[in-house]
Amino acid sequence: MRETQYQNKILIPRIYEVLPESVVIQNDPKKIQGIPDLLVLWRDRWAMLEVKISANETPEPNQEYYVARYNEMSFAAFIFPENQEEVLNALQSAFGA
């Protein structure tokens, strides 16, 4: 399965399940190199998620920087099938959902 298939068919629908009424925006990596793939908006809160297809996938340049920076501001994480539920649980907890 490709990363975009995982995002669109599995991850984004799961985000809508755990955070009803959320808005998920797919970022354009061509605009800012390394920007996380997804912006999640829920009520007055936001998060950035960098999607990987596997825990073994190597981050692209700047991805670790942006995930760390946005995690200091609100919530950000690398997410992949192996840690999906753990990250979504942490996201729910951070949002107070």
Side-chain angles (χ1 to χ4, degrees):
M1 179 179 293
R2 296 181 54 194
E3 184 179 302
T4 55
Q5 292 172 315
Y6 167 61
Q7 278 186 47
N8 294 326
K9 294 183 179 188
I10 297 171
L11 180 58
I12 293 173
R14 183 71 180 121
I15 292 170
Y16 289 136
E17 285 178 15
V18 299
L19 293 170
E21 302 175 16
S22 62
V23 174
V24 178
I25 299 170
Q26 293 176 297
N27 294 315
D28 183 355
K30 295 175 187 166
K31 297 287 183 186
I32 301 175
Q33 198 279 322
I35 195 88
D37 296 307
L38 302 177
L39 170 63
V40 180
L41 306 170
W42 186 76
R43 298 183 181 169
D44 63 342
R45 310 209 185 252
W46 62 272
M48 299 286 278
L49 299 174
E50 174 55 43
V51 181
K52 297 293 181 194
I53 197 61
S54 164
N56 299 322
E57 191 175 354
T58 304
E60 297 292 324
N62 297 329
Q63 288 179 336
E64 290 176 327
Y65 165 78
Y66 280 115
V67 168
R69 180 177 180 200
Y70 294 140
N71 194 47
E72 289 176 3
M73 297 168 71
S74 181
F75 182 95
F78 286 90
I79 190 166
F80 35 84
E82 297 92 335
N83 77 346
Q84 175 181 297
E85 293 308 309
E86 177 184 335
V87 170
L88 293 179
N89 288 338
L91 178 58
Q92 283 181 299
S93 178
F95 280 8

